[in-house]
Amino acid sequence: MEREQWCVRLYGNLEMRTQLQKMMNDAFEGLADSAGQGPWQLAERGDAIVCRLDITAGRREFCDKTGMVLAEFVLSVKEPHMLEKLMQSKLGTRDVKEIRTGMKEAIILLNGDLPEGETIVSEGETGAGRKLRLGRMGMKLGEYLWEKSSVHLDGFIRFRMREYAEELKDAAESAACEMLMDRQYQEFMRLLQTMVKGQETGLPAIHVLHGGGQSPTLLDEKLRPLHDEQAAEPMLQAATDQQDRESLLVTRLLAASPRRLYIHTNEPDAQVVRTLMGIFGERAAICDDPVLR
């Protein structure tokens, strides 16, 4: 019987091909020869990893299992390299820490919630999104190997899995946008902190009543409504969303420049509370007393 041959080609250096060869041989440990050599061997020339076997039964299972190994290699080895290049381009930086953060966020997006209607066999299973992606990719690769007996992994990704390539680009772009927005926010916060440190203090103290699902109320040091509270009310009502109201609150407090800022809230982790604490620093304090409405 003539031996059947399978071939997997891969761009990259010898180290990467050797890594893939080991992953495939580990998956087929039972097919190792007497010397412990697995069925997949590096070609003497070129970029191929080759397997020659006599298979009378189980050919489809062999191809499907190989497809899953190739899919795991793509997600665990090739995907980080692709995301790294995308993040460098989207963020416009080579800062390793920033790029790694962006890659992590992109992978979270890729492995996020399952699409509507999709299910995983074991409910509540960790990494369900990744397993879904792995299964889809492995099935396509196994099918292709069963039909063709040979696959160029990089070419397959580029030409037969364009949807996957687009998913990577979209995830990288979304992660980069979030990071750039956060970068702008941090720069804005530093500017406001500099303004607060440089300006003279005005009122001795201001109390901010926050929470209860209502717009924040400002009181002076004697717990009386701030003199501009009545004038600010129409602006607060006209503010179209929470962000507008919070921006107006910050503007009013910067103009008043209190020596001390007391924030009475039952939501200490709310974004506006963290923003005020960040801007006013040591001047600000969170109070959990019952001064709330």
Side-chain angles (χ1 to χ4, degrees):
M1 179 183 295
E2 186 178 347
R3 283 193 151 195
E4 189 162 1
Q5 176 172 299
W6 287 271
C7 178
V8 175
R9 296 185 181 276
L10 173 70
Y11 288 141
N13 55 31
L14 178 60
E15 182 181 355
M16 187 173 287
R17 288 197 297 278
T18 302
Q19 184 176 358
L20 176 55
Q21 178 203 15
K22 182 178 186 307
M23 288 176 66
M24 290 196 291
N25 281 335
D26 287 346
F28 294 100
E29 188 177 357
L31 296 178
D33 59 21
S34 58
Q37 296 293 316
W40 292 94
Q41 300 297 322
L42 295 175
E44 293 182 6
R45 295 182 180 179
D47 54 7
I49 307 171
V50 180
C51 175
R52 295 182 180 89
L53 286 175
D54 296 328
I55 294 185
T56 56
R59 183 180 185 278
R60 183 58 188 264
E61 289 77 5
F62 177 84
C63 293
D64 287 343
K65 190 171 183 178
T66 302
M68 290 299 292
V69 176
L70 293 176
E72 178 59 44
F73 178 79
V74 170
L75 294 189
S76 61
V77 179
K78 291 198 70 66
E79 184 169 279
H81 285 283
M82 291 186 280
L83 282 176
E84 184 176 10
K85 290 181 180 178
L86 285 168
M87 293 310 302
Q88 284 179 356
S89 173
K90 301 291 182 184
L91 291 174
T93 180
R94 290 187 175 275
D95 182 273
V96 175
K97 186 176 180 181
E98 270 199 278
I99 290 170
R100 293 295 180 192
T101 300
M103 290 168 61
K104 181 179 178 182
E105 292 301 318
I107 289 172
I108 289 172
L109 290 172
L110 287 165
N111 296 337
D113 295 334
L114 294 174
E116 192 173 346
E118 296 283 2
T119 58
I120 290 293
V121 176
S122 175
E123 202 168 301
E125 202 171 4
T126 58
R130 187 183 190 277
K131 288 184 179 180
L132 180 64
R133 296 171 64 219
L134 180 69
R136 284 175 173 170
M137 188 181 297
M139 183 175 63
K140 288 182 180 180
L141 283 161
E143 179 83 22
Y144 190 82
L145 272 174
W146 183 66
E147 292 177 356
K148 307 292 185 181
S149 299
S150 178
V151 61
H152 195 301
L153 195 54
D154 300 277
F156 188 88
I157 293 170
R158 183 173 180 180
F159 298 109
R160 295 181 177 272
M161 294 190 64
R162 292 181 179 176
E163 185 179 337
Y164 168 68
E166 287 301 317
E167 285 178 356
L168 286 188
K169 289 179 183 177
D170 290 345
E173 187 170 343
S174 296
C177 283
E178 287 292 325
M179 290 182 66
L180 291 172
M181 287 173 62
D182 184 64
R183 186 190 295 172
Q184 291 173 351
Y185 173 77
Q186 295 300 331
E187 290 173 355
F188 182 61
M189 286 288 291
R190 284 193 288 271
L191 175 63
L192 294 180
Q193 290 165 357
T194 302
M195 287 175 58
V196 168
K197 289 178 181 178
Q199 69 182 167
E200 294 183 5
T201 55
L203 295 176
I206 289 181
H207 296 262
V208 179
L209 307 188
H210 169 269
Q214 301 183 42
S215 300
T217 299
L218 303 187
L219 307 177
D220 65 14
E221 71 277 7
K222 295 183 179 179
L223 300 181
R224 300 170 302 191
L226 207 61
H227 64 83
D228 72 338
E229 193 72 10
Q230 206 168 15
E233 188 61 30
M235 290 188 286
L236 285 169
Q237 294 296 333
T240 56
D241 57 28
Q242 185 71 18
Q243 188 173 1
D244 288 341
R245 289 190 288 272
E246 292 177 359
S247 296
L248 181 58
L249 172 64
V250 171
T251 300
R252 293 170 67 199
L253 289 172
L254 287 172
S257 187
R259 188 175 300 117
R260 293 287 297 168
L261 181 66
Y262 299 100
I263 306 170
H264 304 266
T265 181
N266 55 7
E267 302 171 21
D269 293 325
Q271 179 62 52
V272 65
V273 175
R274 288 189 282 119
T275 297
L276 293 177
M277 293 297 294
I279 293 172
F280 287 91
E282 295 180 354
R283 291 197 204 178
I286 294 177
C287 306
D288 57 2
D289 53 46
V291 179
L292 288 167
R293 307 177 184 81

